[in-house]
Amino acid sequence: MPHLTLLRDLVLLVAVAVPVVAVMQRLRVPSVVGYLASGVLLGPHALGLIHHIESVQTLAELGVALLLFTIGLELSLSRVLRMGREVLQGGTLQVAGTIAVVAPLAMLLGLEAPRAVAFGVLAALSSTALVLRLLEDRNELDTIHGRILVAVLLFQDLCVVPLMLLLPVLAQVQVDPGAGLWRMVRGSLVVALLVLAGRFIVPRVLARIVALRNPELFTLCIFLFGLGSAYLAARSGLSLALGAFIAGLVVSESDYGLQALSDFVPFRDTFTGIFFISVGMLLDPGFLWQRASLVAGATLALVALKALVAAAATASLGRPLHVAVHAGLALANVGEFSFVLASLGLSLGLIQPEGYQLFIAASVLSMLLAPLALARGREVGEGVARLVGQPSLRPEPGQEVRELHDHVIVVGYGINGRNLARALKAAGIPYAILEQNAYLVREARRAAEPIYYGDGTRRQILEEVGAERARVLVLAISSPVDERRGVAVARTLNPGLRIIVRTREVAEIEELRRLGADEVIPEEFETSVEIFARVLRVYGVPSNVIEREVQAARADHYEMLRGLSVADLRLDPLLDLGLHRVLDTVLVEAGAEAVGESPWSLQLRRRTGATVVAVVRDGRALHNPDPKFEFRAGDVVVLVGDREALDRALRWFRAGAPE
């Protein structure tokens, strides 16, 4: 019975994958390597436990589609559209450049021109599933090199259909030019239709589904959008994965993208694991053993050529050399769609069986090297930059930053970094900013910000901006690896430095503090702190009690919000009597009704129920102002009363007549 055969194969697949991936996890090896190794063991060329892998490959293709659907949910369509130059310029140079380099070399080795170009086509594509999975595991999707990799991989996926049309032409198989053109036009129309439907139809449908308050129906509807888009794309000649990716992009623009992403993560992880196992099944260990030197040479040549071309394409976008090298190494692997093209080339006679197996072996080995290439790519890139004498990693000598003492160093000029810089400038506190995005550096310099291009987690860069003389270092970046390294380096440079880290992951708190961070602020739980503080204010909990609980949550590394018991907030006995009072302050605005008046002439207490207890003017506190006192614009008024009274009183000090 066919369905029982498939079930048996899936049971064997999972039974082998679980212990292998567990061992890889203990060895600190990415799980992708474990999946590939499991496929090699299960495949027809090793233990032979699974002979017919066609059904498994079908599930694997579905897994790739689900992976790209979730990646699309994380990226959003608006962000991809902003990457237009990276997609077109970087992607075109990478794909065309790889074909232009590989094909002549293959001809020098004795291959005919059509066969040589075919191998260039196979080498041009990188593994979208593998690279994006590794980027996500390392929290690097939103880094400079991460955005470039997403752009180039997206262009490669768009090229699958033209490349599939190119292979029959190379094989001199009779093709209908009109049919090929219609296939491309039809694919473009389907993409446009998916985008328009996602913009105008999907949000309305999801709003109706959410109103029913049925989580299962919501998940089923998201499945329909993802798989339906993949099916339409495949029917129009595009890939399943590309259709699913576009669906993810358009769903992410709605208000329900975050919930859809959380619903799909378990399915994605399961099916992408099946994909990598199916890739491992293609490798013949016997061929690898018999032609070890040939396979090793082909793999090294493939990885080196792809890395060089991809690095050149990245550098053409104006990115620094170390970023270009990092991106090049990350793309130096062969993609899942290359296996589809290789099978087509084999059936057309463009690729001989021995050449096919050589390509499969080199491709799988390049995938096995991908986690190491991505992990060490940054170090290699910086080493290459130093080797060629690129000075861009250091701030320019002779700048005012060398004169700074007792200052703040801000690493990262994103939203958090910009807000902090604005506050420091307003407070007159000296500071220096380090940022690796050259565009942000140029824009900030135009605004006269003390910003310098450089990696704020490297010792020599921190020395240049005076870390040993600074009082505070703030790491406002989004990479756990860089955060840990930056804390460790800064602590060795200046034992007395106050180090504050903003991190995404709560799991990073303990490790960062162990390395020397004084304060670690996880984004998700800091948001929770703000929410509970605001809710407690609405219910009249005194401000000092709220502040005490906020400080307790932070001091306990947010354990209070991770499930431990919460202290009793009803410590003020007046709460039970309904007599709680709260303080509030308000800045007197020009044009406010209170300007030129006194608390008595306004009859503030009779009208609102709030009492003025002090006014801060020119840095001095005036307690219990006398009847001759008059409010001025710029005064800070301290009021006491219940919440409703305060809300009524605040209107009198704001511009415009009170209600």
Side-chain angles (χ1 to χ4, degrees), residues 204-239:
R204 291 177 172 82
V205 173
L206 289 179
R208 297 290 182 88
I209 296 296
V210 170
L212 298 176
R213 299 179 181 274
N214 188 327
E216 292 84 0
L217 188 59
F218 176 83
T219 303
L220 192 63
C221 190
I222 295 298
F223 249 115
L224 173 63
F225 290 139
L227 297 182
S229 299
Y231 174 76
L232 289 176
R235 291 287 296 176
S236 66
L238 301 173
S239 66

PDB file of all heavy atoms in Angstrom, residues 204-239:
ATOM      1  N   ARG A 204      -8.948  42.045   4.601  1.00  0.00           N
ATOM      2  CA  ARG A 204     -10.389  42.048   4.875  1.00  0.00           C
ATOM      3  C   ARG A 204     -10.883  40.653   5.263  1.00  0.00           C
ATOM      4  O   ARG A 204     -11.699  40.501   6.176  1.00  0.00           O
ATOM      5  CB  ARG A 204     -11.139  42.557   3.644  1.00  0.00           C
ATOM      6  CG  ARG A 204     -10.910  44.045   3.367  1.00  0.00           C
ATOM      7  CD  ARG A 204     -11.618  44.492   2.092  1.00  0.00           C
ATOM      8  NE  ARG A 204     -11.562  45.932   1.909  1.00  0.00           N
ATOM      9  CZ  ARG A 204     -10.529  46.580   1.398  1.00  0.00           C
ATOM     10  NH1 ARG A 204      -9.453  45.899   1.023  1.00  0.00           N
ATOM     11  NH2 ARG A 204     -10.542  47.891   1.263  1.00  0.00           N
ATOM     12  N   VAL A 205     -10.386  39.646   4.561  1.00  0.00           N
ATOM     13  CA  VAL A 205     -10.789  38.281   4.886  1.00  0.00           C
ATOM     14  C   VAL A 205     -10.325  37.905   6.294  1.00  0.00           C
ATOM     15  O   VAL A 205     -11.080  37.332   7.090  1.00  0.00           O
ATOM     16  CB  VAL A 205     -10.220  37.293   3.848  1.00  0.00           C
ATOM     17  CG1 VAL A 205     -10.481  35.849   4.280  1.00  0.00           C
ATOM     18  CG2 VAL A 205     -10.839  37.552   2.483  1.00  0.00           C
ATOM     19  N   LEU A 206      -9.072  38.230   6.616  1.00  0.00           N
ATOM     20  CA  LEU A 206      -8.549  37.890   7.935  1.00  0.00           C
ATOM     21  C   LEU A 206      -9.298  38.631   9.039  1.00  0.00           C
ATOM     22  O   LEU A 206      -9.492  38.089  10.134  1.00  0.00           O
ATOM     23  CB  LEU A 206      -7.055  38.207   8.000  1.00  0.00           C
ATOM     24  CG  LEU A 206      -6.137  37.291   7.185  1.00  0.00           C
ATOM     25  CD1 LEU A 206      -4.687  37.728   7.322  1.00  0.00           C
ATOM     26  CD2 LEU A 206      -6.280  35.845   7.640  1.00  0.00           C
ATOM     27  N   ALA A 207      -9.701  39.871   8.770  1.00  0.00           N
ATOM     28  CA  ALA A 207     -10.472  40.618   9.771  1.00  0.00           C
ATOM     29  C   ALA A 207     -11.792  39.909  10.083  1.00  0.00           C
ATOM     30  O   ALA A 207     -12.210  39.821  11.245  1.00  0.00           O
ATOM     31  CB  ALA A 207     -10.737  42.039   9.276  1.00  0.00           C
ATOM     32  N   ARG A 208     -12.452  39.380   9.047  1.00  0.00           N
ATOM     33  CA  ARG A 208     -13.700  38.636   9.271  1.00  0.00           C
ATOM     34  C   ARG A 208     -13.435  37.341  10.046  1.00  0.00           C
ATOM     35  O   ARG A 208     -14.209  36.963  10.933  1.00  0.00           O
ATOM     36  CB  ARG A 208     -14.350  38.306   7.923  1.00  0.00           C
ATOM     37  CG  ARG A 208     -14.765  39.531   7.118  1.00  0.00           C
ATOM     38  CD  ARG A 208     -15.939  40.237   7.768  1.00  0.00           C
ATOM     39  NE  ARG A 208     -16.381  41.384   6.999  1.00  0.00           N
ATOM     40  CZ  ARG A 208     -17.286  41.320   6.018  1.00  0.00           C
ATOM     41  NH1 ARG A 208     -17.830  40.154   5.710  1.00  0.00           N
ATOM     42  NH2 ARG A 208     -17.636  42.405   5.372  1.00  0.00           N
ATOM     43  N   ILE A 209     -12.331  36.660   9.716  1.00  0.00           N
ATOM     44  CA  ILE A 209     -12.005  35.400  10.388  1.00  0.00           C
ATOM     45  C   ILE A 209     -11.690  35.648  11.866  1.00  0.00           C
ATOM     46  O   ILE A 209     -12.155  34.924  12.759  1.00  0.00           O
ATOM     47  CB  ILE A 209     -10.813  34.712   9.700  1.00  0.00           C
ATOM     48  CG1 ILE A 209     -11.181  34.313   8.265  1.00  0.00           C
ATOM     49  CG2 ILE A 209     -10.350  33.503  10.487  1.00  0.00           C
ATOM     50  CD1 ILE A 209     -12.275  33.296   8.159  1.00  0.00           C
ATOM     51  N   VAL A 210     -10.900  36.695  12.135  1.00  0.00           N
ATOM     52  CA  VAL A 210     -10.535  37.010  13.518  1.00  0.00           C
ATOM     53  C   VAL A 210     -11.769  37.369  14.339  1.00  0.00           C
ATOM     54  O   VAL A 210     -11.852  37.045  15.531  1.00  0.00           O
ATOM     55  CB  VAL A 210      -9.502  38.151  13.538  1.00  0.00           C
ATOM     56  CG1 VAL A 210      -9.292  38.667  14.952  1.00  0.00           C
ATOM     57  CG2 VAL A 210      -8.174  37.677  12.956  1.00  0.00           C
ATOM     58  N   ALA A 211     -12.739  38.016  13.716  1.00  0.00           N
ATOM     59  CA  ALA A 211     -13.958  38.394  14.435  1.00  0.00           C
ATOM     60  C   ALA A 211     -14.727  37.178  14.935  1.00  0.00           C
ATOM     61  O   ALA A 211     -15.492  37.281  15.897  1.00  0.00           O
ATOM     62  CB  ALA A 211     -14.857  39.237  13.529  1.00  0.00           C
ATOM     63  N   LEU A 212     -14.510  36.017  14.317  1.00  0.00           N
ATOM     64  CA  LEU A 212     -15.183  34.790  14.749  1.00  0.00           C
ATOM     65  C   LEU A 212     -14.552  34.188  16.000  1.00  0.00           C
ATOM     66  O   LEU A 212     -15.106  33.254  16.592  1.00  0.00           O
ATOM     67  CB  LEU A 212     -15.171  33.756  13.615  1.00  0.00           C
ATOM     68  CG  LEU A 212     -15.906  34.166  12.333  1.00  0.00           C
ATOM     69  CD1 LEU A 212     -15.727  33.095  11.260  1.00  0.00           C
ATOM     70  CD2 LEU A 212     -17.386  34.399  12.612  1.00  0.00           C
ATOM     71  N   ARG A 213     -13.343  34.655  16.375  1.00  0.00           N
ATOM     72  CA  ARG A 213     -12.642  34.191  17.578  1.00  0.00           C
ATOM     73  C   ARG A 213     -12.422  32.672  17.567  1.00  0.00           C
ATOM     74  O   ARG A 213     -12.638  31.983  18.565  1.00  0.00           O
ATOM     75  CB  ARG A 213     -13.402  34.603  18.843  1.00  0.00           C
ATOM     76  CG  ARG A 213     -13.541  36.101  19.003  1.00  0.00           C
ATOM     77  CD  ARG A 213     -14.316  36.458  20.261  1.00  0.00           C
ATOM     78  NE  ARG A 213     -14.455  37.894  20.394  1.00  0.00           N
ATOM     79  CZ  ARG A 213     -13.561  38.695  20.968  1.00  0.00           C
ATOM     80  NH1 ARG A 213     -12.445  38.172  21.459  1.00  0.00           N
ATOM     81  NH2 ARG A 213     -13.760  39.995  21.060  1.00  0.00           N
ATOM     82  N   ASN A 214     -11.985  32.181  16.421  1.00  0.00           N
ATOM     83  CA  ASN A 214     -11.706  30.748  16.277  1.00  0.00           C
ATOM     84  C   ASN A 214     -10.261  30.591  15.818  1.00  0.00           C
ATOM     85  O   ASN A 214      -9.961  30.748  14.628  1.00  0.00           O
ATOM     86  CB  ASN A 214     -12.665  30.122  15.263  1.00  0.00           C
ATOM     87  CG  ASN A 214     -12.535  28.603  15.223  1.00  0.00           C
ATOM     88  OD1 ASN A 214     -11.457  28.048  15.427  1.00  0.00           O
ATOM     89  ND2 ASN A 214     -13.645  27.930  14.964  1.00  0.00           N
ATOM     90  N   PRO A 215      -9.308  30.287  16.728  1.00  0.00           N
ATOM     91  CA  PRO A 215      -7.889  30.199  16.336  1.00  0.00           C
ATOM     92  C   PRO A 215      -7.631  29.135  15.274  1.00  0.00           C
ATOM     93  O   PRO A 215      -6.786  29.331  14.399  1.00  0.00           O
ATOM     94  CB  PRO A 215      -7.185  29.846  17.657  1.00  0.00           C
ATOM     95  CG  PRO A 215      -8.136  30.259  18.731  1.00  0.00           C
ATOM     96  CD  PRO A 215      -9.500  30.074  18.170  1.00  0.00           C
ATOM     97  N   GLU A 216      -8.345  28.003  15.348  1.00  0.00           N
ATOM     98  CA  GLU A 216      -8.124  26.953  14.357  1.00  0.00           C
ATOM     99  C   GLU A 216      -8.500  27.429  12.958  1.00  0.00           C
ATOM    100  O   GLU A 216      -7.806  27.142  11.976  1.00  0.00           O
ATOM    101  CB  GLU A 216      -8.936  25.704  14.712  1.00  0.00           C
ATOM    102  CG  GLU A 216      -8.481  24.991  15.969  1.00  0.00           C
ATOM    103  CD  GLU A 216      -9.065  25.607  17.231  1.00  0.00           C
ATOM    104  OE1 GLU A 216      -9.828  26.588  17.111  1.00  0.00           O
ATOM    105  OE2 GLU A 216      -8.744  25.124  18.329  1.00  0.00           O
ATOM    106  N   LEU A 217      -9.593  28.173  12.865  1.00  0.00           N
ATOM    107  CA  LEU A 217     -10.026  28.688  11.566  1.00  0.00           C
ATOM    108  C   LEU A 217      -9.029  29.713  11.029  1.00  0.00           C
ATOM    109  O   LEU A 217      -8.767  29.765   9.818  1.00  0.00           O
ATOM    110  CB  LEU A 217     -11.419  29.317  11.695  1.00  0.00           C
ATOM    111  CG  LEU A 217     -12.104  29.735  10.389  1.00  0.00           C
ATOM    112  CD1 LEU A 217     -12.264  28.534   9.472  1.00  0.00           C
ATOM    113  CD2 LEU A 217     -13.457  30.364  10.685  1.00  0.00           C
ATOM    114  N   PHE A 218      -8.453  30.511  11.928  1.00  0.00           N
ATOM    115  CA  PHE A 218      -7.447  31.487  11.510  1.00  0.00           C
ATOM    116  C   PHE A 218      -6.224  30.783  10.917  1.00  0.00           C
ATOM    117  O   PHE A 218      -5.735  31.146   9.841  1.00  0.00           O
ATOM    118  CB  PHE A 218      -7.035  32.350  12.708  1.00  0.00           C
ATOM    119  CG  PHE A 218      -5.939  33.332  12.414  1.00  0.00           C
ATOM    120  CD1 PHE A 218      -6.221  34.553  11.833  1.00  0.00           C
ATOM    121  CD2 PHE A 218      -4.615  33.027  12.705  1.00  0.00           C
ATOM    122  CE1 PHE A 218      -5.205  35.455  11.553  1.00  0.00           C
ATOM    123  CE2 PHE A 218      -3.604  33.917  12.438  1.00  0.00           C
ATOM    124  CZ  PHE A 218      -3.895  35.141  11.857  1.00  0.00           C
ATOM    125  N   THR A 219      -5.722  29.737  11.632  1.00  0.00           N
ATOM    126  CA  THR A 219      -4.558  28.997  11.137  1.00  0.00           C
ATOM    127  C   THR A 219      -4.868  28.329   9.806  1.00  0.00           C
ATOM    128  O   THR A 219      -4.040  28.328   8.881  1.00  0.00           O
ATOM    129  CB  THR A 219      -4.128  27.941  12.167  1.00  0.00           C
ATOM    130  OG1 THR A 219      -3.854  28.583  13.407  1.00  0.00           O
ATOM    131  CG2 THR A 219      -2.895  27.193  11.698  1.00  0.00           C
ATOM    132  N   LEU A 220      -6.075  27.778   9.673  1.00  0.00           N
ATOM    133  CA  LEU A 220      -6.472  27.123   8.426  1.00  0.00           C
ATOM    134  C   LEU A 220      -6.517  28.124   7.276  1.00  0.00           C
ATOM    135  O   LEU A 220      -6.117  27.826   6.141  1.00  0.00           O
ATOM    136  CB  LEU A 220      -7.842  26.465   8.614  1.00  0.00           C
ATOM    137  CG  LEU A 220      -8.303  25.501   7.516  1.00  0.00           C
ATOM    138  CD1 LEU A 220      -7.356  24.316   7.426  1.00  0.00           C
ATOM    139  CD2 LEU A 220      -9.729  25.039   7.798  1.00  0.00           C
ATOM    140  N   CYS A 221      -6.977  29.326   7.572  1.00  0.00           N
ATOM    141  CA  CYS A 221      -7.052  30.371   6.546  1.00  0.00           C
ATOM    142  C   CYS A 221      -5.648  30.790   6.097  1.00  0.00           C
ATOM    143  O   CYS A 221      -5.410  30.989   4.901  1.00  0.00           O
ATOM    144  CB  CYS A 221      -7.831  31.562   7.093  1.00  0.00           C
ATOM    145  SG  CYS A 221      -8.249  32.787   5.856  1.00  0.00           S
ATOM    146  N   ILE A 222      -4.721  30.902   7.047  1.00  0.00           N
ATOM    147  CA  ILE A 222      -3.349  31.243   6.692  1.00  0.00           C
ATOM    148  C   ILE A 222      -2.733  30.142   5.839  1.00  0.00           C
ATOM    149  O   ILE A 222      -2.015  30.404   4.860  1.00  0.00           O
ATOM    150  CB  ILE A 222      -2.513  31.472   7.973  1.00  0.00           C
ATOM    151  CG1 ILE A 222      -3.032  32.690   8.735  1.00  0.00           C
ATOM    152  CG2 ILE A 222      -1.048  31.681   7.621  1.00  0.00           C
ATOM    153  CD1 ILE A 222      -2.939  33.988   7.985  1.00  0.00           C
ATOM    154  N   PHE A 223      -3.025  28.885   6.181  1.00  0.00           N
ATOM    155  CA  PHE A 223      -2.570  27.756   5.365  1.00  0.00           C
ATOM    156  C   PHE A 223      -3.093  27.891   3.932  1.00  0.00           C
ATOM    157  O   PHE A 223      -2.379  27.637   2.956  1.00  0.00           O
ATOM    158  CB  PHE A 223      -3.065  26.438   5.972  1.00  0.00           C
ATOM    159  CG  PHE A 223      -1.968  25.597   6.538  1.00  0.00           C
ATOM    160  CD1 PHE A 223      -1.916  25.336   7.898  1.00  0.00           C
ATOM    161  CD2 PHE A 223      -0.990  25.053   5.721  1.00  0.00           C
ATOM    162  CE1 PHE A 223      -0.913  24.563   8.438  1.00  0.00           C
ATOM    163  CE2 PHE A 223       0.020  24.283   6.252  1.00  0.00           C
ATOM    164  CZ  PHE A 223       0.062  24.030   7.609  1.00  0.00           C
ATOM    165  N   LEU A 224      -4.351  28.274   3.805  1.00  0.00           N
ATOM    166  CA  LEU A 224      -4.947  28.433   2.482  1.00  0.00           C
ATOM    167  C   LEU A 224      -4.218  29.487   1.669  1.00  0.00           C
ATOM    168  O   LEU A 224      -3.911  29.278   0.489  1.00  0.00           O
ATOM    169  CB  LEU A 224      -6.425  28.806   2.623  1.00  0.00           C
ATOM    170  CG  LEU A 224      -7.156  29.163   1.313  1.00  0.00           C
ATOM    171  CD1 LEU A 224      -7.177  27.959   0.375  1.00  0.00           C
ATOM    172  CD2 LEU A 224      -8.570  29.640   1.612  1.00  0.00           C
ATOM    173  N   PHE A 225      -3.917  30.630   2.279  1.00  0.00           N
ATOM    174  CA  PHE A 225      -3.212  31.682   1.558  1.00  0.00           C
ATOM    175  C   PHE A 225      -1.819  31.219   1.137  1.00  0.00           C
ATOM    176  O   PHE A 225      -1.396  31.430   0.003  1.00  0.00           O
ATOM    177  CB  PHE A 225      -3.103  32.947   2.422  1.00  0.00           C
ATOM    178  CG  PHE A 225      -4.407  33.645   2.630  1.00  0.00           C
ATOM    179  CD1 PHE A 225      -4.732  34.181   3.868  1.00  0.00           C
ATOM    180  CD2 PHE A 225      -5.323  33.769   1.609  1.00  0.00           C
ATOM    181  CE1 PHE A 225      -5.940  34.822   4.074  1.00  0.00           C
ATOM    182  CE2 PHE A 225      -6.535  34.406   1.794  1.00  0.00           C
ATOM    183  CZ  PHE A 225      -6.850  34.932   3.028  1.00  0.00           C
ATOM    184  N   GLY A 226      -1.087  30.592   2.070  1.00  0.00           N
ATOM    185  CA  GLY A 226       0.280  30.173   1.760  1.00  0.00           C
ATOM    186  C   GLY A 226       0.349  29.096   0.709  1.00  0.00           C
ATOM    187  O   GLY A 226       1.043  29.236  -0.311  1.00  0.00           O
ATOM    188  N   LEU A 227      -0.389  27.996   0.919  1.00  0.00           N
ATOM    189  CA  LEU A 227      -0.338  26.889  -0.028  1.00  0.00           C
ATOM    190  C   LEU A 227      -1.053  27.228  -1.334  1.00  0.00           C
ATOM    191  O   LEU A 227      -0.637  26.782  -2.410  1.00  0.00           O
ATOM    192  CB  LEU A 227      -0.961  25.637   0.608  1.00  0.00           C
ATOM    193  CG  LEU A 227      -0.239  25.101   1.847  1.00  0.00           C
ATOM    194  CD1 LEU A 227      -0.915  23.839   2.354  1.00  0.00           C
ATOM    195  CD2 LEU A 227       1.227  24.828   1.541  1.00  0.00           C
ATOM    196  N   GLY A 228      -2.121  28.015  -1.250  1.00  0.00           N
ATOM    197  CA  GLY A 228      -2.809  28.424  -2.469  1.00  0.00           C
ATOM    198  C   GLY A 228      -1.919  29.274  -3.363  1.00  0.00           C
ATOM    199  O   GLY A 228      -1.890  29.097  -4.588  1.00  0.00           O
ATOM    200  N   SER A 229      -1.184  30.192  -2.769  1.00  0.00           N
ATOM    201  CA  SER A 229      -0.261  31.021  -3.550  1.00  0.00           C
ATOM    202  C   SER A 229       0.849  30.171  -4.160  1.00  0.00           C
ATOM    203  O   SER A 229       1.251  30.381  -5.310  1.00  0.00           O
ATOM    204  CB  SER A 229       0.343  32.108  -2.657  1.00  0.00           C
ATOM    205  OG  SER A 229      -0.651  32.955  -2.148  1.00  0.00           O
ATOM    206  N   ALA A 230       1.350  29.206  -3.377  1.00  0.00           N
ATOM    207  CA  ALA A 230       2.385  28.313  -3.909  1.00  0.00           C
ATOM    208  C   ALA A 230       1.853  27.515  -5.094  1.00  0.00           C
ATOM    209  O   ALA A 230       2.550  27.334  -6.107  1.00  0.00           O
ATOM    210  CB  ALA A 230       2.867  27.374  -2.803  1.00  0.00           C
ATOM    211  N   TYR A 231       0.623  27.041  -4.988  1.00  0.00           N
ATOM    212  CA  TYR A 231       0.033  26.252  -6.074  1.00  0.00           C
ATOM    213  C   TYR A 231      -0.145  27.100  -7.334  1.00  0.00           C
ATOM    214  O   TYR A 231       0.185  26.669  -8.448  1.00  0.00           O
ATOM    215  CB  TYR A 231      -1.313  25.688  -5.622  1.00  0.00           C
ATOM    216  CG  TYR A 231      -2.076  24.983  -6.720  1.00  0.00           C
ATOM    217  CD1 TYR A 231      -1.707  23.707  -7.138  1.00  0.00           C
ATOM    218  CD2 TYR A 231      -3.168  25.591  -7.333  1.00  0.00           C
ATOM    219  CE1 TYR A 231      -2.397  23.058  -8.147  1.00  0.00           C
ATOM    220  CE2 TYR A 231      -3.873  24.952  -8.340  1.00  0.00           C
ATOM    221  CZ  TYR A 231      -3.477  23.692  -8.754  1.00  0.00           C
ATOM    222  OH  TYR A 231      -4.159  23.059  -9.755  1.00  0.00           O
ATOM    223  N   LEU A 232      -0.677  28.308  -7.178  1.00  0.00           N
ATOM    224  CA  LEU A 232      -0.867  29.183  -8.341  1.00  0.00           C
ATOM    225  C   LEU A 232       0.466  29.513  -9.007  1.00  0.00           C
ATOM    226  O   LEU A 232       0.568  29.554 -10.241  1.00  0.00           O
ATOM    227  CB  LEU A 232      -1.574  30.469  -7.915  1.00  0.00           C
ATOM    228  CG  LEU A 232      -3.051  30.344  -7.538  1.00  0.00           C
ATOM    229  CD1 LEU A 232      -3.582  31.680  -7.049  1.00  0.00           C
ATOM    230  CD2 LEU A 232      -3.864  29.862  -8.735  1.00  0.00           C
ATOM    231  N   ALA A 233       1.490  29.747  -8.188  1.00  0.00           N
ATOM    232  CA  ALA A 233       2.809  30.044  -8.752  1.00  0.00           C
ATOM    233  C   ALA A 233       3.346  28.845  -9.533  1.00  0.00           C
ATOM    234  O   ALA A 233       3.896  28.997 -10.638  1.00  0.00           O
ATOM    235  CB  ALA A 233       3.782  30.435  -7.641  1.00  0.00           C
ATOM    236  N   ALA A 234       3.194  27.650  -8.963  1.00  0.00           N
ATOM    237  CA  ALA A 234       3.685  26.451  -9.649  1.00  0.00           C
ATOM    238  C   ALA A 234       2.921  26.208 -10.951  1.00  0.00           C
ATOM    239  O   ALA A 234       3.512  25.820 -11.962  1.00  0.00           O
ATOM    240  CB  ALA A 234       3.568  25.243  -8.720  1.00  0.00           C
ATOM    241  N   ARG A 235       1.619  26.445 -10.955  1.00  0.00           N
ATOM    242  CA  ARG A 235       0.822  26.249 -12.171  1.00  0.00           C
ATOM    243  C   ARG A 235       1.203  27.232 -13.267  1.00  0.00           C
ATOM    244  O   ARG A 235       1.049  26.943 -14.456  1.00  0.00           O
ATOM    245  CB  ARG A 235      -0.661  26.397 -11.842  1.00  0.00           C
ATOM    246  CG  ARG A 235      -1.236  25.301 -10.982  1.00  0.00           C
ATOM    247  CD  ARG A 235      -1.389  24.009 -11.755  1.00  0.00           C
ATOM    248  NE  ARG A 235      -2.353  24.123 -12.846  1.00  0.00           N
ATOM    249  CZ  ARG A 235      -2.614  23.168 -13.729  1.00  0.00           C
ATOM    250  NH1 ARG A 235      -1.958  22.018 -13.658  1.00  0.00           N
ATOM    251  NH2 ARG A 235      -3.512  23.347 -14.672  1.00  0.00           N
ATOM    252  N   SER A 236       1.716  28.389 -12.873  1.00  0.00           N
ATOM    253  CA  SER A 236       2.099  29.398 -13.870  1.00  0.00           C
ATOM    254  C   SER A 236       3.546  29.237 -14.320  1.00  0.00           C
ATOM    255  O   SER A 236       4.039  30.046 -15.107  1.00  0.00           O
ATOM    256  CB  SER A 236       1.892  30.795 -13.296  1.00  0.00           C
ATOM    257  OG  SER A 236       2.773  31.030 -12.210  1.00  0.00           O
ATOM    258  N   GLY A 237       4.253  28.213 -13.817  1.00  0.00           N
ATOM    259  CA  GLY A 237       5.628  27.971 -14.238  1.00  0.00           C
ATOM    260  C   GLY A 237       6.667  28.468 -13.266  1.00  0.00           C
ATOM    261  O   GLY A 237       7.860  28.265 -13.476  1.00  0.00           O
ATOM    262  N   LEU A 238       6.238  29.139 -12.185  1.00  0.00           N
ATOM    263  CA  LEU A 238       7.176  29.571 -11.157  1.00  0.00           C
ATOM    264  C   LEU A 238       7.377  28.444 -10.157  1.00  0.00           C
ATOM    265  O   LEU A 238       6.834  27.352 -10.305  1.00  0.00           O
ATOM    266  CB  LEU A 238       6.642  30.828 -10.464  1.00  0.00           C
ATOM    267  CG  LEU A 238       6.385  32.039 -11.372  1.00  0.00           C
ATOM    268  CD1 LEU A 238       5.708  33.151 -10.580  1.00  0.00           C
ATOM    269  CD2 LEU A 238       7.663  32.543 -12.002  1.00  0.00           C
ATOM    270  N   SER A 239       8.162  28.689  -9.124  1.00  0.00           N
ATOM    271  CA  SER A 239       8.397  27.650  -8.130  1.00  0.00           C
ATOM    272  C   SER A 239       7.372  27.758  -7.008  1.00  0.00           C
ATOM    273  O   SER A 239       6.826  28.839  -6.729  1.00  0.00           O
ATOM    274  CB  SER A 239       9.806  27.784  -7.551  1.00  0.00           C
ATOM    275  OG  SER A 239       9.926  28.980  -6.813  1.00  0.00           O
TER     276      SER A 239
END
